[in-house]
Amino acid sequence: MPEPERPEAPGGYDPVGPRPGEAMSPTGQGGAMDLALQEAESVEGVAVAKESGPAGTAGAPGPREKARSLWSDAWHQLRRNPVFIVSALIILFLVVISLWPQLIASGDPLQCDLSKSQQGSAPGHPFGYDTQGCDVYTRTVYGARASITVGICATVGAALLGSVLGGLAGFFGGWGDSLLSRVADIFFGIPVVLGGLVFLSVVTGTTVWPVVGFIVLLGWPQLARIARGSVITAKQNDYVQAARALGAGNARMLLRHVAPNAVAPVIVVATIALGTYISLEATLSFLGVGLRPPTVSWGIDISNAATQIRNAPHMLLWPAGALSVTVLAFIMLGDAVRDALDPKLR
């Protein structure tokens, strides 16, 4: 008489054990153990799927994770770049002492004592004295104010003027673009140092503004070319053409779509140029046509110490070292910003 068939559990597993004549399961424990193992593997698979993302690939962003924009992604890269961190800390320290030099220097940079002329380090005066008997440490600290002011103001002025003129010329084109290109070529042909000697020898003053005006006058063509090329590239993108097809005006397209995507190269070049402008101010002051006494400047101190380098090398060492560190910090910052904003360099 045939044996009655038993109903199978869901999934084809026997909760009691194998039928007569059937082989044992690979685990050797029967169908109940196999069912438990299958359930455990299914739970583990669900957990792995949740961690790996909806597509089942490890490392894929989850449904709630949003893609970072260009600026947030650049900041994410900069925070992990040691070059950016070191240069930013140096620049922050220089900006603080240029605003409040009395935090680390309690003396007066214009108070001198001829009896201490060219003397070396002394208690309370670690950098020694210059030819006039002024404290080199105090003058080095106060000299950061003029250099940082010239660098920042000249960079902001050149960036604004160059970005506006270059952006408009690149966006609209036509005769305005051709005129800007020819004017920029004329300014590129002027030697910087020679132009400074001619311009600043006519425009006299003891403040930083003549030097700032000269640097802006010769610095804007470079940034204008960068802005022009970046705008020409950005306006050919599909989203700009779509905005134009939807009836967006020139002002809206330029401010909302083109400018935010074309400003990154200008920021990179301006950041690197800031250090160059600081060194240019020191060069012009060294030649006697930049900043003039009683303004305290690293270039003026280097000029005064150049003739006494054999007798008192400390007069040249400290202001020249401060100038070199400042210029290097801004160049390093510009390189870090360039690497963060350019995906091809990552």
Side-chain angles (χ1 to χ4, degrees):
M1 183 173 182
E3 182 181 356
E5 296 184 357
R6 294 187 304 230
E8 294 184 352
Y13 290 93
D14 191 348
V16 177
R19 294 183 177 87
E22 293 181 346
M24 294 290 292
S25 64
T27 61
Q29 302 295 331
M33 181 60 68
D34 287 346
L35 180 59
L37 289 175
Q38 186 188 29
E39 291 177 352
E41 291 175 357
S42 63
V43 171
E44 182 180 359
V46 172
V48 172
K50 289 182 178 180
E51 292 178 357
S52 60
T57 58
R64 294 186 179 181
E65 183 179 354
K66 297 181 180 180
R68 290 192 296 262
S69 63
L70 173 65
W71 301 105
S72 60
D73 186 58
W75 175 242
H76 179 78
Q77 297 290 333
L78 288 174
R79 288 183 301 174
R80 288 158 176 78
N81 190 344
V83 175
F84 170 78
I85 295 175
V86 172
S87 59
L89 290 177
I90 294 175
I91 293 172
L92 179 62
F93 173 74
L94 292 170
V95 171
V96 170
I97 66 172
S98 65
L99 295 175
W100 302 284
Q102 63 274 10
L103 293 177
I104 60 174
S106 58
D108 186 356
L110 301 178
Q111 184 179 0
C112 306
D113 187 358
L114 285 175
S115 63
K116 300 179 180 179
S117 176
Q118 298 185 8
Q119 290 185 8
S121 177
H125 306 278
F127 295 173
Y129 299 89
D130 62 5
T131 305
Q132 302 297 325
C134 302
D135 184 17
V136 177
Y137 171 77
T138 304
R139 291 186 63 85
T140 302
V141 172
Y142 276 81
R145 173 178 293 177
S147 298
I148 296 297
T149 301
V150 170
I152 292 178
C153 293
T155 302
V156 172
L160 290 178
L161 182 61
S163 298
V164 172
L165 295 179
L168 292 176
F171 185 78
F172 292 103
W175 64 268
D177 187 16
S178 301
L179 178 62
L180 178 71
S181 299
R182 302 293 78 79
V183 172
D185 291 338
I186 294 174
F187 279 95
F188 276 121
I190 301 176
V192 177
V193 177
L194 179 60
L197 291 173
V198 175
F199 180 82
L200 295 176
S201 61
V202 177
V203 181
T204 59
T206 59
T207 62
V208 301
W209 302 116
V211 180
V212 171
F214 167 73
I215 295 177
V216 171
L217 183 64
L218 291 187
W220 71 266
Q222 179 187 13
L223 294 171
R225 280 194 169 183
I226 298 297
R228 173 182 175 273
S230 184
V231 167
I232 291 177
T233 302
K235 75 175 185 179
Q236 296 175 356
N237 291 328
D238 293 338
Y239 56 85
V240 178
Q241 301 301 326
R244 187 188 300 274
L246 292 175
N250 290 330
R252 181 178 178 84
M253 286 190 297
L254 184 60
L255 296 178
R256 290 290 302 274
H257 303 288
V258 176
N261 295 281
V263 73
V266 178
I267 294 177
V268 173
V269 175
T271 306
I272 298 176
L274 199 155
T276 306
Y277 295 159
I278 292 177
S279 63
L280 177 59
E281 177 273 321
T283 302
L284 295 175
S285 299
F286 178 84
L287 296 175
V289 296
L291 301 179
R292 297 179 174 87
T295 303
V296 181
S297 169
W298 290 333
I300 296 175
D301 291 347
I302 294 173
S303 178
N304 296 333
T307 57
Q308 305 295 331
I309 187 173
R310 292 185 178 181
N311 300 327
H314 64 274
M315 293 174 51
L316 178 65
L317 176 63
W318 298 110
L323 176 63
S324 301
V325 170
T326 302
V327 174
L328 180 61
F330 279 106
I331 293 177
M332 290 169 55
L333 181 69
D335 290 339
V337 173
R338 179 198 59 192
D339 295 341
L341 292 178
D342 191 353
K344 298 179 182 178
L345 299 178
R346 296 176 188 171

